[in-house]
Short mmCIF file of all heavy atoms in Angstrom, two decimals:
data_model
loop_
_atom_site.label_atom_id
_atom_site.label_comp_id
_atom_site.label_asym_id
_atom_site.label_seq_id
_atom_site.Cartn_x
_atom_site.Cartn_y
_atom_site.Cartn_z
N ALA O 389 12.05 10.44 -4.19
CA ALA O 389 12.91 10.58 -5.34
C ALA O 389 14.22 11.26 -4.95
O ALA O 389 15.34 10.91 -5.39
CB ALA O 389 12.22 11.37 -6.48
N ARG O 390 14.08 12.26 -4.09
CA ARG O 390 15.27 12.96 -3.58
C ARG O 390 16.19 12.00 -2.82
O ARG O 390 17.40 11.93 -3.06
CB ARG O 390 14.85 14.11 -2.64
CG ARG O 390 15.98 14.80 -1.98
CD ARG O 390 15.56 15.45 -0.64
NE ARG O 390 15.13 14.44 0.32
CZ ARG O 390 14.45 14.72 1.43
NH1 ARG O 390 14.12 15.95 1.72
NH2 ARG O 390 14.09 13.73 2.26
N ASP O 391 15.61 11.18 -1.91
CA ASP O 391 16.36 10.28 -1.13
C ASP O 391 17.07 9.23 -2.03
O ASP O 391 18.22 8.91 -1.82
CB ASP O 391 15.46 9.52 -0.13
CG ASP O 391 15.18 10.36 1.12
OD1 ASP O 391 15.61 11.54 1.16
OD2 ASP O 391 14.48 9.83 2.02
N TYR O 392 16.34 8.75 -3.01
CA TYR O 392 16.92 7.71 -3.89
C TYR O 392 18.06 8.29 -4.68
O TYR O 392 19.12 7.69 -4.82
CB TYR O 392 15.84 7.14 -4.79
CG TYR O 392 16.33 5.95 -5.60
CD1 TYR O 392 16.60 4.74 -4.96
CD2 TYR O 392 16.50 6.02 -6.98
CE1 TYR O 392 17.04 3.65 -5.69
CE2 TYR O 392 16.93 4.93 -7.70
CZ TYR O 392 17.21 3.73 -7.08
OH TYR O 392 17.65 2.64 -7.78
N THR O 393 17.93 9.50 -5.16
CA THR O 393 18.99 10.16 -5.92
C THR O 393 20.21 10.39 -4.98
O THR O 393 21.34 10.07 -5.36
CB THR O 393 18.49 11.51 -6.48
OG1 THR O 393 17.36 11.25 -7.26
CG2 THR O 393 19.54 12.16 -7.34
N MET O 394 19.93 10.90 -3.82
CA MET O 394 21.01 11.20 -2.86
C MET O 394 21.74 9.95 -2.40
O MET O 394 22.91 10.01 -2.08
CB MET O 394 20.46 11.93 -1.64
CG MET O 394 20.21 13.39 -1.91
SD MET O 394 19.84 14.18 -0.34
CE MET O 394 21.43 14.18 0.41
N LEU O 395 20.99 8.86 -2.31
CA LEU O 395 21.62 7.61 -1.87
C LEU O 395 22.85 7.30 -2.64
O LEU O 395 23.89 6.92 -2.11
CB LEU O 395 20.60 6.47 -2.06
CG LEU O 395 21.14 5.04 -1.92
CD1 LEU O 395 21.45 4.73 -0.47
CD2 LEU O 395 20.15 4.01 -2.49
N HIS O 396 22.77 7.53 -4.00
CA HIS O 396 23.92 7.20 -4.84
C HIS O 396 25.13 8.08 -4.56
O HIS O 396 26.25 7.65 -4.58
CB HIS O 396 23.48 7.19 -6.31
CG HIS O 396 22.42 6.19 -6.59
ND1 HIS O 396 21.10 6.43 -6.21
CD2 HIS O 396 22.45 4.98 -7.15
CE1 HIS O 396 20.38 5.34 -6.55
NE2 HIS O 396 21.19 4.46 -7.12
N HIS O 397 24.88 9.35 -4.28
CA HIS O 397 25.97 10.26 -3.93
C HIS O 397 26.51 9.87 -2.57
O HIS O 397 27.74 9.94 -2.37
CB HIS O 397 25.46 11.72 -3.93
CG HIS O 397 25.14 12.23 -5.28
ND1 HIS O 397 26.04 12.24 -6.28
CD2 HIS O 397 24.00 12.76 -5.76
CE1 HIS O 397 25.47 12.76 -7.37
NE2 HIS O 397 24.21 13.08 -7.07
N ALA O 398 25.65 9.50 -1.67
CA ALA O 398 26.11 9.12 -0.31
C ALA O 398 27.02 7.87 -0.44
O ALA O 398 28.04 7.81 0.25
CB ALA O 398 24.92 8.82 0.59
N LEU O 399 26.64 6.93 -1.31
CA LEU O 399 27.46 5.73 -1.38
C LEU O 399 28.76 5.95 -2.15
O LEU O 399 29.69 5.18 -2.07
CB LEU O 399 26.63 4.62 -2.07
CG LEU O 399 25.42 4.18 -1.29
CD1 LEU O 399 24.68 3.01 -2.00
CD2 LEU O 399 25.79 3.79 0.11
N ARG O 400 28.81 7.06 -2.90
CA ARG O 400 30.02 7.42 -3.59
C ARG O 400 31.10 7.78 -2.55
O ARG O 400 32.29 7.54 -2.81
CB ARG O 400 29.78 8.63 -4.46
CG ARG O 400 30.98 9.13 -5.18
CD ARG O 400 30.59 10.30 -6.06
NE ARG O 400 31.81 11.01 -6.53
CZ ARG O 400 31.75 12.03 -7.34
NH1 ARG O 400 30.60 12.53 -7.70
NH2 ARG O 400 32.86 12.59 -7.74
N ASP O 401 30.73 8.28 -1.46
CA ASP O 401 31.67 8.75 -0.44
C ASP O 401 32.04 7.74 0.60
O ASP O 401 32.76 8.04 1.53
CB ASP O 401 31.14 9.99 0.25
CG ASP O 401 30.84 11.09 -0.74
OD1 ASP O 401 31.60 11.20 -1.74
OD2 ASP O 401 29.88 11.83 -0.58
N GLN O 402 31.47 6.50 0.50
CA GLN O 402 31.71 5.61 1.59
C GLN O 402 33.15 5.15 1.60
O GLN O 402 33.70 4.81 0.56
CB GLN O 402 30.71 4.46 1.59
CG GLN O 402 30.77 3.60 0.35
CD GLN O 402 29.78 2.43 0.49
OE1 GLN O 402 29.68 1.85 1.51
NE2 GLN O 402 29.12 2.14 -0.60
N PRO O 403 33.77 5.14 2.75
CA PRO O 403 35.16 4.74 2.82
C PRO O 403 35.40 3.25 2.62
O PRO O 403 36.51 2.85 2.58
CB PRO O 403 35.56 5.18 4.24
CG PRO O 403 34.28 5.27 5.05
CD PRO O 403 33.22 5.51 4.07
N GLY O 404 34.36 2.51 2.46
CA GLY O 404 34.47 1.06 2.32
C GLY O 404 33.87 0.40 3.51
O GLY O 404 34.14 0.76 4.63
N GLY O 405 33.02 -0.61 3.22
CA GLY O 405 32.44 -1.36 4.34
C GLY O 405 31.41 -0.56 5.10
O GLY O 405 31.30 -0.66 6.32
N GLY O 406 30.68 0.26 4.36
CA GLY O 406 29.52 0.91 5.04
C GLY O 406 29.80 2.30 5.50
O GLY O 406 30.97 2.76 5.57
N LEU O 407 28.76 3.00 5.79
CA LEU O 407 28.87 4.42 6.18
C LEU O 407 28.78 4.53 7.70
O LEU O 407 27.89 3.98 8.31
CB LEU O 407 27.75 5.23 5.57
CG LEU O 407 27.80 5.35 4.07
CD1 LEU O 407 26.41 5.72 3.56
CD2 LEU O 407 28.79 6.42 3.66
N PRO O 408 29.67 5.30 8.33
CA PRO O 408 29.50 5.53 9.72
C PRO O 408 28.27 6.35 10.03
O PRO O 408 27.99 7.31 9.29
CB PRO O 408 30.79 6.28 10.13
CG PRO O 408 31.37 6.78 8.85
CD PRO O 408 30.80 6.00 7.74
N GLY O 409 27.55 5.99 11.06
CA GLY O 409 26.32 6.65 11.39
C GLY O 409 26.46 8.16 11.55
O GLY O 409 25.60 8.95 11.14
#
Side-chain angles (χ1 to χ4, degrees):
Chain O
R390 174 205 64 193
D391 280 3
Y392 187 68
T393 305
M394 282 190 72
L395 168 74
H396 297 77
H397 291 303
L399 296 183
R400 177 179 168 180
D401 301 326
Q402 61 178 318
L407 291 160

